[in-house]
Amino acid sequence: MDIVTDVPVPDECASKISSYTGQKYEPEIAAELWLKIIQHKWFLSEKLGRDAGIKVACLDYTENVDAITEKEIDEDKVNTLKELGGQLVDRSIWDTISESQPPKQIIQKRVILPLTEVDLAEKHGVVPPKTIIFFGPPGTGKTHFVKAIAGILNWWFIEASPSDLMADGQDRLGKNLKHLMEKAGRIEEAVIFIDEFEEIAGERDQASRIDKSITNEFLKQVPLFKRQPGKRLLVCATNYIRQLDTALLRPGRFDLIIPVGGLDIEGQRTIFEYYLSRTNSGEVDVEKLISLMPLYTPADIEYLFRKVTQKAFERELKAGADYRLTTEIFLEVLLEVKPSLTEEISAEFEKDFREFTRC
Ligand SMILES: Nc1ncnc2c1ncn2[C@@H]1O[C@H](COP(=O)(O)OP(=O)(O)O)[C@@H](O)[C@H]1O
Ligand SMILES: [Mg+2]
């Protein structure tokens, strides 16, 4: 794609850059810089998914030249990112997960710190993991965790579900998987996320012929991915760890196998308060409410808030006066929102936890 349309006039470039940044440049230097700023505007717009504007691009470029050279503005990379649906995730997602959650502590210690304290990690021969499995019951926040990791690392988030990979026919899944892994291998600083992982890595003994070939393909791809140099993480999530092929679970393929189970009180509180902060709330006894919700997953809490806020909206519309959330409306709606976890599911999870965890 030709991204530079006009030959820049040096004097004009100098005056434009100076009007945006307040800095003076020699016209010839400004003309060269201008080309890079236009290219950066395009790159930034692709990244943000909207037109970044020339002023923003100019300020961003002139303030972060070093960072940009590092990030290598590269048309091929942008096209690959577009094809793979690469996204940037907000850093703040990380803060919606309480520090007390065991998976957050593991990720912090085993993934984030070795990647940020590079020299110290090298000194001690600590190699950051490249492949991770998250397992646990539905709605416990596995996908949310993976996004949070991409956000806090400021890496690209590239998601593929088996249904995406099968969009052009089940028999293409293996090929698409190979294609995805090869393409993603070209993106530096990326979290590649495969959801519903059991569908492409199921136990081969119980699988149909086509499933077997997909699992085989995956078994081949993981070591290739691990051997590639560069900052990249492959994260797979499953609700059903028992259905995975045992060869995948042996040491060597996945560096970490992390359970994501029910929330502790602190985890409940953080999520409850996060959603509450986005409502029109009055007097709400958070402690009382969360004490009534021991088996509620993050997805249940989100659903509770969806119902409560809809009710509040309707009530204000009807009464025509400011309506604030109180403990009572939560108690009322809680009767309609049942927890997803049961003692039985929790007991099953405990078993999986003991058998499969590796971190
Ligand atoms: N820590 C959290 N704070 C706020 N919302 C969360 C949190 N964890 C999960 N959620 C929300 O709960 C819902 C279910 O989480 P998700 O990550 O999809 O679960 P899973 O992948 O385990 O099925 C999502 O809509 C997600 O945004
Ligand atoms: Mg999920």
Side-chain angles (χ1 to χ4, degrees):
M1 188 200 294
D2 185 10
I3 52 169
V4 181
T5 47
D6 295 317
V7 178
V9 178
D11 282 335
E12 275 177 24
C13 296
S15 88
K16 272 187 191 150
I17 296 173
S18 144
S19 76
Y20 294 147
T21 65
Q23 289 178 39
K24 298 235 173 298
Y25 290 90
E26 287 299 318
E28 292 309 320
I29 294 174
E32 263 178 46
L33 195 58
W34 189 249
L35 290 177
K36 290 185 179 144
I37 290 167
I38 292 174
Q39 200 176 25
H40 186 56
K41 173 177 176 285
W42 177 75
F43 178 75
L44 214 57
S45 305
E46 287 294 333
K47 222 164 122 174
L48 297 171
R50 59 179 161 77
D51 186 3
I54 191 71
K55 186 174 176 185
V56 169
C58 181
L59 286 168
D60 196 52
Y61 190 82
T62 48
E63 278 167 16
N64 303 300
V65 181
D66 287 346
I68 284 152
T69 349
E70 248 171 55
K71 284 249 177 203
E72 51 172 12
I73 307 160
D74 173 352
E75 214 177 315
D76 181 48
K77 177 181 162 186
V78 174
N79 286 338
T80 307
L81 275 168
K82 233 174 165 179
E83 188 188 328
L84 298 175
Q87 302 167 33
L88 285 176
V89 179
D90 205 295
R91 281 180 89 85
S92 62
I93 293 200
W94 184 250
D95 301 326
T96 64
I97 304 166
S98 120
E99 300 294 328
S100 69
Q101 294 308 104
K104 185 171 186 179
Q105 293 168 4
I106 296 164
I107 293 292
Q108 178 77 26
K109 226 167 41 186
R110 299 291 314 276
V111 182
I112 314 285
L113 287 177
L115 284 166
T116 46
E117 302 290 331
V118 180
D119 293 342
L120 195 59
E122 236 168 55
K123 177 177 165 186
H124 290 280
V126 169
V127 181
K130 292 194 111 171
T131 49
I132 302 174
I133 294 177
F134 277 119
F135 73 90
T140 47
K142 298 180 291 297
T143 303
H144 193 81
F145 255 114
V146 187
K147 284 194 175 151
I149 298 170
I152 194 72
L153 288 173
N154 196 22
W155 287 11
W156 293 98
F157 178 72
I158 296 170
E159 178 173 7
S161 69
S163 48
D164 297 337
L165 295 167
M166 263 190 280
D168 51 354
Q170 204 192 5
D171 54 332
R172 301 269 311 164
L173 203 156
K175 275 210 182 77
N176 290 344
L177 181 66
K178 184 162 177 254
H179 182 76
L180 165 77
M181 300 292 278
E182 282 170 0
K183 288 255 161 173
R186 289 199 225 150
I187 306 294
E188 187 63 12
E189 305 197 330
V191 174
I192 298 116
F193 174 49
I194 300 182
D195 209 356
E196 301 155 39
F197 178 45
E198 69 285 349
E199 292 197 23
I200 56 171
E203 178 63 72
R204 281 168 298 174
D205 286 352
Q206 295 172 10
S208 65
R209 196 184 56 79
I210 191 147
D211 288 348
K212 263 183 211 156
S213 76
I214 292 160
T215 304
N216 282 333
E217 181 61 50
F218 201 76
L219 282 165
K220 243 179 20 208
Q221 288 297 328
V222 177
L224 290 178
F225 179 88
K226 286 187 76 170
R227 273 207 295 276
Q228 281 172 347
K231 292 179 168 176
R232 235 164 273 120
L233 266 180
L234 171 69
V235 190
C236 299
T238 181
N239 298 337
Y240 310 102
I241 186 122
R242 281 177 191 278
Q243 292 180 11
L244 296 185
D245 194 274
T246 44
L248 264 172
L249 297 172
R250 276 187 220 121
R253 288 207 161 86
F254 281 90
D255 302 317
L256 300 174
I257 302 181
I258 302 175
V260 184
L263 295 159
D264 62 1
I265 286 282
E266 186 56 42
Q268 302 261 16
R269 189 183 296 122
T270 307
I271 298 179
F272 199 98
E273 282 175 351
Y274 164 75
Y275 285 115
L276 191 63
S277 71
R278 302 161 69 171
T279 65
N280 187 41
S281 60
E283 289 276 307
V284 177
D285 187 343
V286 177
E287 296 310 312
K288 175 176 175 181
L289 290 168
I290 58 178
S291 75
L292 298 171
M293 302 169 61
L295 293 168
Y296 285 69
T297 62
D300 298 330
I301 300 176
E302 189 187 30
Y303 181 55
L304 172 73
F305 270 89
R306 220 179 315 141
K307 290 199 83 136
V308 165
T309 48
Q310 178 67 28
K311 258 205 173 112
F313 165 73
E314 287 170 11
R315 284 185 187 172
E316 174 150 350
L317 205 61
K318 200 163 168 201
D322 182 39
Y323 185 91
R324 289 187 176 265
L325 299 185
T326 57
T327 310
E328 283 63 42
I329 188 169
F330 280 99
L331 290 173
E332 204 181 293
V333 176
L334 261 179
L335 297 173
E336 302 162 23
V337 179
K338 297 285 163 244
S340 300
L341 297 178
T342 59
E343 295 298 345
E344 209 180 338
I345 296 173
S346 298
E348 279 295 304
F349 174 71
E350 279 302 316
K351 264 205 278 177
D352 291 349
F353 182 102
R354 282 194 297 275
E355 192 172 335
F356 296 103
T357 302
R358 186 184 322 133
C359 48

